[in-house]
Amino acid sequence: MQIVNEEESKIKRHNFSKWGYETIALTWGCLAFLCACGLSGTNHWLGSLLLVGSAVGLYFYFAFIVDRGNVISLKALFSAFWLGTIGLANLKLLGYQRRWELETWFVLGLTYGSFLLAFMIMEECGYDRIVTAIRRYIKHPSNGLRVQNNRLFTICVITTLIGLFSFIANIAIKGFVPFFVTDDYMAYYDFYTRFNIFTVASTAGSGLCYYTLKKQPLSRWKKVVLLACIVYEVLIMPILAVSRGTQMIALLSLMVSIVTLSRRKFVTFVMCMLIAFGTYEIGSTARNLSNEYLAYVFQPKEIT
């Protein structure tokens, strides 16, 4: 009885300490947004440095202190991407960028705080136990949940085909492929139809395709099909649509699977991030648009 009580007290102390660590991170992130907002009118460079530094600090804080060496912790990755992206955007390196309103900063900070708070509540309600159970069933399907090889393969192929046919429907409606339009820099901007959401959403299946390719016993032709699906989702479709955002969705999904299945997770994560960043920069440079042209295209609009 005494041993049981000691174990329960250890669990309670661990949960309390984890909530305490996460509360520190939550406060840290929100204060970073508050300070960056205050500095936006006088020294936005310092505000951006604060956000980017907080992004790096919170990533390592979550990965190695809160989640004990989990380099692909969702809280760590979200903190790094959210604060880092906003910090870089706040540098306002392009001439057409304007100072953000107070409401914008409020929404950005509220979103970050809401995500962490929701995650903390989910963990308290047994989120970790659910994830552990799913992983155990996937590794040992005989325990109850049978993940069939053909079923995963079929899901990957159907998801890719939905995106492919939606992309073809998009082309049929608009009558052009943005990549091959040479006389209109904004062709990709006018390429959106009601089918575009299915085209973009399907690219998130690249991670599942990679997982199935690496972990499921498949015939050679099925592996070739899955590889073709990944190439389409990560390279072919985003390039033809001239859509860096879509390519980032596919790359991030693929990166999660690659890092998860890798033994050297941290090194793999850093390499994937460098490749993703390089790909994004190459896509940006290849467009070869001047700041003056972008300022004309993306003129601020009044929301009524």
Side-chain angles (χ1 to χ4, degrees), residues 47-303:
S48 295
L49 180 62
L50 176 63
L51 287 173
V52 173
S54 296
V56 176
L58 284 169
Y59 171 79
F60 285 102
Y61 181 82
F62 274 120
F64 295 101
I65 296 179
V66 178
D67 292 330
R68 300 182 178 183
N70 182 12
V71 297
I72 57 172
S73 163
L74 289 179
K75 290 169 288 188
L77 292 175
F78 179 76
S79 298
F81 282 114
W82 191 256
L83 275 77
T85 302
I86 294 169
L88 293 175
N90 189 52
L91 287 172
K92 297 178 176 58
L93 298 176
L94 302 177
Y96 62 84
Q97 290 180 289
R98 304 294 179 86
R99 180 185 173 184
W100 295 341
E101 299 292 336
L102 180 63
E103 292 81 358
T104 302
W105 284 106
F106 175 76
V107 171
L108 293 174
L110 180 64
T111 302
Y112 179 74
S114 299
F115 177 88
L116 286 189
L117 187 60
F119 213 102
M120 292 164 64
I121 294 173
M122 288 172 61
E123 288 181 329
E124 187 67 18
C125 294
Y127 168 79
D128 289 340
R129 292 193 294 271
I130 296 173
V131 172
T132 302
I134 293 174
R135 289 176 177 172
R136 186 184 301 118
Y137 283 132
I138 291 177
K139 290 182 179 179
H140 307 285
S142 59
N143 291 345
L145 178 63
R146 185 172 297 276
V147 180
Q148 298 181 2
N149 306 331
N150 290 331
R151 184 173 298 173
L152 282 179
F153 173 78
T154 303
I155 291 173
C156 292
V157 173
I158 290 177
T159 301
T160 305
L161 288 177
I162 291 174
L164 176 61
F165 289 137
S166 298
F167 185 57
I168 293 174
N170 226 40
I171 296 173
I173 293 173
K174 289 297 184 179
F176 63 90
V177 178
F179 181 80
F180 297 109
V181 177
T182 58
D183 57 349
D184 184 6
Y185 284 116
M186 296 304 297
Y188 73 94
Y189 187 76
D190 299 322
F191 189 64
Y192 298 102
T193 69
R194 68 187 67 181
F195 294 99
N196 190 65
I197 186 173
F198 299 106
T199 304
V200 175
S202 69
T203 60
S206 59
L208 182 60
C209 290
Y210 182 83
Y211 172 84
T212 307
L213 181 67
K214 297 292 289 184
K215 300 296 289 185
Q216 302 298 315
L218 300 171
S219 61
R220 182 175 299 179
W221 74 268
K222 287 185 177 180
K223 291 183 178 180
V224 171
V225 170
L226 289 176
L227 185 60
C229 291
I230 294 174
V231 172
Y232 165 78
E233 292 167 349
V234 176
L235 292 175
I236 297 177
M237 197 287 292
I239 290 175
L240 291 178
V242 193
S243 177
R244 296 169 301 166
T246 302
Q247 190 171 48
M248 286 298 103
I249 293 174
L251 278 173
L252 289 175
S253 175
L254 183 61
M255 282 169 51
V256 170
S257 290
I258 292 175
V259 174
T260 301
L261 299 178
S262 173
R263 293 181 179 179
R264 303 177 63 184
K265 288 183 169 48
F266 182 73
V267 175
T268 305
F269 171 74
V270 172
M271 292 299 297
C272 287
M273 288 299 299
L274 290 175
I275 293 173
F277 181 76
T279 303
Y280 185 85
E281 287 300 311
I282 291 173
S284 300
T285 305
R287 294 166 67 188
N288 195 28
L289 302 180
S290 65
N291 284 344
E292 292 74 17
Y293 186 82
L294 290 173
Y296 169 74
V297 172
F298 296 109
Q299 295 183 30
K301 296 178 175 60
E302 295 292 334
I303 300 176

